[in-house]
Structure formats: structure tokens, C-alpha cells
Amino acid sequence: MPQPYRSPLLSSLSWLDHAFLPAGERPPEESIYNHQRHSPNVVLDTEALPVKSQQADGLIGTGTRPVAVYTADCLPILIADTRHKQVAAVHAGLNGALGGVLINTLRRLCERGATPDSLMMAIGPAICPCCYELGDERIAGIQQENPHDLAGLIAFSTVQPVNRDAVRAQAKGTTGGVWFDLPLLAKRMAMREGVPEAQIELSEICTYCMAEAQASYRRNSHFDHGYQQRFSWIRRQD
């Protein structure tokens, strides 16, 4: 039975609880989450009820109910503000990240009293550069459009990285494109917003070749193995 992944960084904070759940497991019953559409929108938990009533991909928790996101290969990002004990959950695929959902969440936390150096951020299991191929035209488009001045932050390789921790076959290249590092892009975005590097943690668990079966939307598109949503949640404890 796959076990939840818990961030060592966030686990060091005694006032919160969190988990990056395996595919198919449900979050705590009282969790709040949004109708996700790869948008840049961020809302407070008080604005997000009933559950899935808002189209938003960033959710800030102001109370003690868990805030959650669901993913397949996209980034699940959990954030804690040690200054005011706020928490946040972010769903960031490539489109959402480029659209600014993480940037908007970090800035809204700071508008509510956090400071960049009071933020701690964990990026959970997601597709990693060992298995995330993008066509050259997609990279060219990102660099030309340069949303939120991110062109200098994107990371990719023309050579597929070897993941020595893979438990199943890595993705095979089909476009002759590049291998894109989405977790590193998110880390660089947070650092540009002022979050200290030591307070940003990457799980480095690839949903395609390392996580439990049915964890990856992209793997399912290649092999038709099926996939299930992976919930990640965080909350301030009483």
C-alpha cells in the first residue's frame, strides 16, 4: 500500500499537518478545494465554499480546515507562513505556472502579513525532467511570449536525464524536443519572489517513473493504464 509523502521541511513545523497523498486516496473529509482550470486565480478558504464552487488553482487557508489541491502530473505545492500561521495549496501545471498562480499565491500571502523569508514551500510528486518532453515550438513560444518575465527562469535539456531512482521505464521521446524541469521553474519563481532557497523543498519524486501506479496522466496517455487524482493537503492545527 503506497504511503503518503510528507515533506521534511513542513514536518519541522509543529503547528501544521499536511500530506501528499497517493493516487486514489481522498483528503480529510472536511477539506476545502476548488474547481481547478489551470488558472492564475487564488482565493481564501472562506471564499471557496461550498467545495469546488470557485474556479481557482491557489487556495489560502485562514482557519483550521485543510486546504487541498488535486493533481496527476502537475505540481502540488504546499506553503506555510511561519509569521501568521497561514497555509496555502497550489495546483501548478505548466500553463498555470506560466499564468502566475504560484506568484499570485505568494504575493497574496504577503499582502496578508507574510514576508518572503517567513514562507516555507514544499513541491510534491510531479512529472520531472526525466519524463516531461516538450516540443521545440512550445519552448520557443514560451520564450517569445515571456509571460511574467519568466523566460530566464525556465530549465530544460536537449538530452533526456537518466533517473537512477526510477522504478518503471522513463518516458520515451516522441517529438525530438526538450526535457522540461517544471519543479525547478517553480523553485526559481519562488526565489525570485524572495523566498530563501533553503526554505523551498523539492520531493524529486516523478509521477511518471517513480510514484505509485496510476499516478501519471501522461503515462496513461502513453500506455492506457488509467490514472487517478492525487490529493495534497495542508492545515493549521488547533
Side-chain angles (χ1 to χ4, degrees):
M1 187 79 165
Q3 296 298 310
Y5 171 77
R6 287 185 167 83
S7 154
L9 181 69
L10 296 182
S11 295
S12 69
L13 302 175
S14 61
W15 54 269
L16 66 74
D17 195 8
H18 78 286
F20 297 93
L21 297 177
E25 285 197 16
R26 300 292 300 177
E29 186 175 351
E30 66 273 26
S31 296
I32 302 171
Y33 46 95
N34 293 316
H35 190 52
Q36 298 173 184
R37 281 292 180 265
H38 299 276
S39 75
N41 302 336
V42 182
V43 297
L44 303 180
D45 53 1
T46 53
E47 303 167 327
L49 293 172
V51 169
K52 296 193 79 171
S53 63
Q54 298 293 320
Q55 289 198 13
D57 291 75
L59 182 58
I60 294 174
T62 62
T64 58
R65 288 182 65 172
V67 292
V69 291
Y70 49 92
T71 59
D73 289 313
C74 297
L75 303 177
I77 305 174
L78 302 180
I79 306 169
D81 165 29
T82 60
R83 186 181 178 92
H84 288 286
K85 294 187 176 179
Q86 304 176 87
V87 296
V90 180
H91 162 253
L94 179 57
N95 289 338
L98 295 175
V101 66
L102 176 58
I103 293 170
N104 292 345
T105 303
L106 296 173
R107 290 179 180 177
R108 188 155 185 191
L109 285 166
C110 289
E111 288 169 2
R112 293 178 48 80
T115 55
D117 62 0
S118 75
L119 297 176
M120 301 179 77
M121 185 176 105
I123 300 173
I127 198 162
C128 292
C130 53
C131 295
Y132 190 20
E133 185 187 27
L134 291 180
D136 289 331
E137 70 286 350
R138 183 73 168 104
I139 294 296
I142 293 170
Q143 292 172 325
Q144 183 175 1
E145 296 163 15
N146 199 14
H148 297 281
D149 194 26
L150 297 177
L153 304 184
I154 62 174
F156 59 87
S157 172
T158 56
V159 178
Q160 183 178 15
V162 174
N163 185 350
R164 302 196 182 281
D165 294 321
V167 298
R168 56 183 62 88
Q170 294 179 214
K172 292 184 178 180
T174 59
T175 70
V178 302
W179 300 90
F180 194 85
D181 197 331
L182 185 57
L184 182 55
L185 172 61
K187 178 180 179 178
R188 288 176 173 177
M189 291 164 68
M191 289 176 62
R192 193 179 70 177
E193 292 297 307
V195 181
E197 183 175 10
Q199 293 170 204
I200 304 169
E201 179 188 280
L202 278 61
S203 74
E204 299 184 333
I205 298 172
C206 179
T207 45
Y208 192 107
C209 68
M210 293 174 66
E212 67 282 354
Q214 298 189 322
S216 171
Y217 174 87
R218 179 165 288 216
R219 183 173 178 81
N220 176 58
S221 71
H222 293 171
F223 296 103
D224 196 27
H225 288 168
Y227 78 98
Q228 299 185 71
Q229 292 173 339
R230 310 179 84 254
F231 276 91
S232 304
W233 60 269
I234 187 169
R235 70 173 163 198
R236 187 182 77 217
Q237 300 193 86
D238 291 329

